[in-house]
Amino acid sequence: MIAPYIQTVCGAVNPKRIIHVQPHEHLMLEKGYAAEQNKDLCIDNVELSSQEIQKLPVGSAIVDAQPLGAGRMAKELVEISKQTGMHVIACTGFHKSSFYWPDHWIHTVKGSKLADMFITELQSGMYVGNSSDVPAKTISAKAGLIKTAVGSNGITNDNIEMFEAAVEASLQTQVSIMVHIEVGSDPFQVIQFFTNRKIPANKLILCHLDRTHHDEILHQEIASTGVYLEYDTIGRFKYHDDNKEIHLIKQMLESGYENAILLSLDTTRARLGTYGGEISIDYLLRRFIPKMKATGINNQTIQQLTRINPIQALSIKS
């Protein structure tokens, strides 16, 4: 049996080599349909992104959470990983519709063909290009996570085939599935959809719950299913401040769910320091974790949230 590993853009990595994980960031993002509406959804300078992630400790792992065909810059992710020595994990899968042109191939490629594309990216190499045409060229670097996204209506007849493709890709490869959650969506519908199709709950990462669903009891009920809750609105002050975030984390810890929580920043151009942003990618380590410690959260628990949990969530056991 092959030992568990994490698939980075530069190859499989032994989790023991990873000292810190930020499981939801954006390091490179090509200017595309979404950036026409929001200029902060363009992060396209290899040198600036390389300088940014070097603010993290050597041996850190960073997930670039932009999936196939939605502005992901696969070749550039490889380049910054090689330049910095950081462990960069890329995503296959799909994002919400606002990242795609109206005539984009994601709206027409369905079923087994879409699943085959995801599996190719996880087992052989990632497709390159972000045009409306179906990509054909690949590079040898592989994706290591499957990204999906629900809107406020959740999983519907309009997007179910994309979710079925993600299921098939995960079952074939044992790779985890990340789910972008929107305000108004039902996390339990998402969990039930995947678990009914034999995806283990501990292979699911639900993002953004700290800004989309504010009921602490609801968070405890979600955690009780065995999924990971990713709190990635840290440093996004238009949603809430650090004190509110830490209060939520402490409530979850006191309820016994320290094994369920992941922490990240979900950076955009507006929050990356080298691009002139307001916080920088090391905000979690430099500012937020000291605030956690000041409230009595100990180092062992912080290691659980920032290393052990995300490594378990991202590891592939084949």
Side-chain angles (χ1 to χ4, degrees), residues 30-162:
E30 184 175 82
K31 185 176 182 180
Y33 187 69
E36 292 178 0
Q37 280 65 246
N38 181 354
K39 63 181 177 60
D40 292 329
L41 298 177
C42 176
I43 307 167
D44 57 357
N45 187 303
V46 169
E47 296 305 320
L48 291 180
S49 293
S50 295
Q51 291 172 28
E52 185 72 25
I53 66 171
Q54 285 178 300
K55 297 174 183 178
L56 296 175
V58 175
S60 295
I62 310 103
V63 172
D64 181 273
Q66 203 66 21
L68 163 67
R72 185 191 65 193
M73 301 176 69
K75 290 189 292 185
E76 290 79 5
L77 291 176
V78 175
E79 188 175 347
I80 66 172
S81 181
K82 288 180 176 179
Q83 280 190 20
T84 65
M86 296 291 184
H87 305 299
V88 176
I89 299 137
C91 291
T92 190
F94 61 92
H95 213 320
K96 57 185 180 179
S97 60
S98 59
F99 279 91
Y100 304 101
W101 285 278
D103 60 346
H104 196 279
W105 61 264
I106 197 72
H107 304 303
T108 55
V109 176
K110 304 291 184 184
S112 61
K113 184 173 181 180
L114 188 59
D116 287 345
M117 292 180 74
F118 297 166
I119 293 166
T120 294
E121 293 219 304
L122 296 164
Q123 293 187 332
S124 301
M126 289 183 284
Y127 293 97
V128 291
N130 289 296
S131 72
S132 293
D133 299 326
V134 178
K137 184 179 178 182
T138 62
I139 58 175
S140 60
K142 302 173 187 177
L145 184 63
I146 303 166
K147 172 76 173 281
T148 66
V150 292
S152 59
N153 294 328
I155 300 173
T156 67
N157 289 335
D158 293 333
N159 59 24
I160 192 169
E161 286 196 54
M162 292 190 287

Side-chain angles (χ1 to χ4, degrees), residues 8 31 36 45 51 68 98 111 150 170 176 194 219 245 247 260 316:
T8 77
K31 185 176 182 180
E36 292 178 0
N45 187 303
Q51 291 172 28
L68 163 67
S98 59
V150 292
S170 180
S176 295
F194 285 113
H219 283 226
E245 187 87 39
H247 174 78
I316 302 167

Side-chain angles (χ1 to χ4, degrees), residues 6-306:
I6 289 178
Q7 184 64 54
T8 77
V9 296
C10 289
V13 171
N14 186 329
K16 293 179 181 178
R17 294 174 51 195
I18 296 173
I19 68 165
H20 171 73
V21 186
Q22 292 189 199
H24 193 127
E25 306 298 345
H26 294 280
L27 306 178
M28 298 296 302
L29 182 53
E30 184 175 82
K31 185 176 182 180
Y33 187 69
E36 292 178 0
Q37 280 65 246
N38 181 354
K39 63 181 177 60
D40 292 329
L41 298 177
C42 176
I43 307 167
D44 57 357
N45 187 303
V46 169
E47 296 305 320
L48 291 180
S49 293
S50 295
Q51 291 172 28
E52 185 72 25
I53 66 171
Q54 285 178 300
K55 297 174 183 178
L56 296 175
V58 175
S60 295
I62 310 103
V63 172
D64 181 273
Q66 203 66 21
L68 163 67
R72 185 191 65 193
M73 301 176 69
K75 290 189 292 185
E76 290 79 5
L77 291 176
V78 175
E79 188 175 347
I80 66 172
S81 181
K82 288 180 176 179
Q83 280 190 20
T84 65
M86 296 291 184
H87 305 299
V88 176
I89 299 137
C91 291
T92 190
F94 61 92
H95 213 320
K96 57 185 180 179
S97 60
S98 59
F99 279 91
Y100 304 101
W101 285 278
D103 60 346
H104 196 279
W105 61 264
I106 197 72
H107 304 303
T108 55
V109 176
K110 304 291 184 184
S112 61
K113 184 173 181 180
L114 188 59
D116 287 345
M117 292 180 74
F118 297 166
I119 293 166
T120 294
E121 293 219 304
L122 296 164
Q123 293 187 332
S124 301
M126 289 183 284
Y127 293 97
V128 291
N130 289 296
S131 72
S132 293
D133 299 326
V134 178
K137 184 179 178 182
T138 62
I139 58 175
S140 60
K142 302 173 187 177
L145 184 63
I146 303 166
K147 172 76 173 281
T148 66
V150 292
S152 59
N153 294 328
I155 300 173
T156 67
N157 289 335
D158 293 333
N159 59 24
I160 192 169
E161 286 196 54
M162 292 190 287
F163 280 94
E164 296 282 13
V167 167
E168 183 61 26
S170 180
L171 292 175
Q172 291 278 348
T173 64
Q174 304 303 306
V175 172
S176 295
I177 299 172
M178 172 184 283
V179 188
H180 167 101
I181 300 290
E182 285 283 353
V183 174
S185 60
D186 180 359
F188 296 104
Q189 184 221 15
V190 173
I191 295 166
Q192 185 175 37
F193 175 89
F194 285 113
T195 55
N196 282 352
R197 289 159 176 78
K198 310 303 182 184
I199 302 295
N202 64 2
K203 301 298 287 184
L204 298 174
I205 303 168
L206 273 58
C207 311
H208 317 321
L209 291 170
D210 51 337
R211 69 175 168 89
T212 62
H213 294 72
H214 301 292
D215 183 343
E216 294 168 5
I217 300 301
L218 177 67
H219 283 226
Q220 293 166 26
E221 292 173 350
I222 293 169
S224 72
T225 68
V227 305
Y228 289 99
L229 290 75
E230 183 183 276
Y231 294 165
D232 48 37
T233 315
I234 297 165
R236 300 190 72 178
F237 305 119
K238 69 178 182 179
Y239 294 109
H240 54 66
D241 62 20
D242 288 343
N243 292 334
K244 185 174 181 178
E245 187 87 39
I246 291 172
H247 174 78
L248 172 61
I249 293 169
K250 292 196 73 171
Q251 289 294 309
M252 293 297 287
L253 296 176
E254 290 167 6
S255 299
Y257 293 113
E258 69 174 28
N259 295 335
I261 306 301
L262 313 179
L263 303 180
S264 211
L265 302 177
D266 190 14
T267 43
T268 65
R269 190 184 191 100
R271 295 191 305 287
L272 293 172
T274 55
Y275 286 87
E278 61 180 336
I279 60 168
S280 292
I281 201 167
D282 63 342
Y283 182 85
L284 183 65
L285 287 169
R286 179 173 48 85
R287 296 290 300 275
F288 189 76
I289 286 175
K291 292 179 182 179
M292 291 174 65
K293 291 180 179 179
T295 69
I297 301 175
N298 62 38
N299 286 331
Q300 182 178 347
T301 300
I302 289 167
Q303 275 287 294
Q304 186 76 39
L305 304 187
T306 61

